[in-house]
Amino acid sequence: QKEVEQNSGPLSVPEGAIASLNCTYSDRGSQSFFWYRQYSGKSPELIMFIYSNGDKEDGRFTAQLNKASQYVSLLIRDSQPSDSATYLCAPRGGNTPLVFGKGTRLSVIA
Amino acid sequence: EPEVTQTPSHQVTQMGQEVILRCVPISNHLYFYWYRQILGQKVEFLVSFYNNEISEKSEIFDDQFSVERPDGSNFTLKIRSTKLEDSAMYFCASSEDRAYGQPQHFGDGTRLSIL
């Protein structure tokens, strides 16, 4: 059984702060890691993905991957109220389907 | 920007009835997926489809479910005899190919309510 663990939150951060979202996964065969954002009642929206150990930056977002620790994180710099959503971590092994975590609910307080 | 479109946005059906959910994937994408999300729960994989056949399916995707690509643009999910527990958001997704680095792009979803 492939497990993806995320703290359900809510994670509350003040506007302008850095939000740190964490994810651990059980499947050592996972090769790529996707972060999706989901607003309430909406569909998952791709933010970014990473497949090499280390950091990958895209605008205000940075994904960090440590395959040895089976850990992936997403940092959001200069958090805005519009970033308030649930963030879904989804590892993927090879060409297998996405396995989603339950997500972390982020609340950015203005 | 190209997007995945799904219809209808909301479907209300009596238990035991058949329902067909429709999706138009992004035009140059080759792999198609259906996921579902029961209210308050995580997004779950149902089935993937490539070259007019199912490439992988989950335990959820039992004999009551079927998928079809009836023409060059549509991709459908059929539930033959709906149950109350089929009530969920159903998301269609597509990707250019299924290499591990290829992202899947999701449609807005169909909210299925079984009465």
Side-chain angles (χ1 to χ4, degrees), chain B residues 16-30:
Chain B
Q17 295 297 305
E18 175 182 286
V19 65
I20 297 176
L21 310 182
R22 292 182 167 80
C23 168
V24 178
I26 295 172
S27 61
N28 66 329
H29 286 189
L30 301 177

Side-chain angles (χ1 to χ4, degrees), chain B residues 2 9 16 27 36-37 41-42 47 63 73-74 78 83 95 110:
Chain B
S9 57
S27 61
R36 81 171 185 191
Q37 187 175 31
Q41 299 189 23
K42 61 183 179 181
V47 65
D63 292 344
S73 60
N74 288 284
K78 182 193 291 186
K83 308 184 190 77
S95 63
T110 293

Side-chain angles (χ1 to χ4, degrees), chain A residues 1-4 31-34 36 38 41-46 49 51 88 92-102, chain B residues 6 33 35 37 40-45 48 56 59 89 91 95 97-109 111:
Chain A
Q1 183 78 354
K2 299 174 184 176
E3 299 289 340
V4 179
Q31 296 181 18
S32 53
F33 304 84
F34 296 84
Y36 285 84
Q38 187 175 31
K42 302 296 185 183
S43 64
E45 173 192 8
L46 180 69
F49 61 93
Y51 47 84
L88 310 177
R92 189 175 184 216
N95 55 19
T96 59
L98 294 171
V99 179
F100 283 92
K102 287 188 176 180
Chain B
Q6 291 186 243
Y33 311 84
Y35 292 83
Q37 187 175 31
Q41 299 189 23
K42 61 183 179 181
V43 178
E44 301 174 289
F45 168 73
S48 59
E56 192 164 351
E59 294 175 349
M89 281 289 285
F91 297 111
S95 63
D97 62 50
R98 61 176 186 174
Y100 67 84
Q102 281 295 322
Q104 295 177 23
H105 298 272
F106 283 71
D108 287 342
R111 180 175 301 281

